[in-house]
Amino acid sequence: MHALYLAFLNSWRGLVHGARTERAVRLELVLLVLGLPLGLLLGTTLWVRVALLASLLLMLAAEFLNTAIEKLCDHLHPDHHPRIGIVKDLASAGTFSAQGIAALIWVAALIERLG
């Protein structure tokens, strides 16, 4: 149990640091806070609600991983370097993909609700 508690503290510190220092993380946290009640109202079934909320968490997780990769790259190579730029672009593409998944799920749920 102690290891689980320590892991939670590490995650909490990362969440707080990301929220304090990264605009994109703050934006996605706002989307999560707003999306939680909206997803519960918009979803017509349990699994649609789960998909709506999970898509927001996936998006946030991708953003944290992207931020971690960018910070590591900047630490290892603070100057501009084409290969480091490619690594950052790939991480950003992962974030964009997660956002696309979330958008597809939310649009599908909205179409289902209105249809």
Side-chain angles (χ1 to χ4, degrees), residues 11-25:
S11 298
W12 182 253
R13 278 193 304 272
L15 182 77
V16 169
H17 180 77
R20 285 185 180 157
T21 63
E22 298 297 321
R23 183 176 172 266
V25 170

Side-chain angles (χ1 to χ4, degrees), residues 12-100:
W12 182 253
R13 278 193 304 272
L15 182 77
V16 169
H17 180 77
R20 285 185 180 157
T21 63
E22 298 297 321
R23 183 176 172 266
V25 170
R26 285 191 300 274
L27 175 62
E28 292 184 13
L29 284 169
V30 167
L31 289 175
L32 180 63
V33 167
L34 296 174
L36 182 64
L38 186 59
L40 295 175
L41 293 172
L42 180 62
T44 55
T45 66
L46 173 64
W47 287 108
V48 172
R49 290 179 185 123
V50 168
L52 289 167
L53 301 179
S55 71
L56 295 176
L57 290 170
L58 172 69
M59 199 169 62
L60 185 61
E63 189 61 53
F64 274 113
L65 292 172
N66 178 48
T67 299
I69 289 168
E70 285 188 358
K71 289 193 177 296
L72 179 61
C73 288
D74 290 344
H75 176 75
L76 294 176
H77 203 294
D79 299 326
H80 177 73
H81 191 281
R83 288 191 195 154
I84 295 293
I86 290 170
V87 170
K88 288 181 172 186
D89 290 346
L90 289 167
S92 180
T95 301
F96 183 72
S97 297
Q99 293 166 347

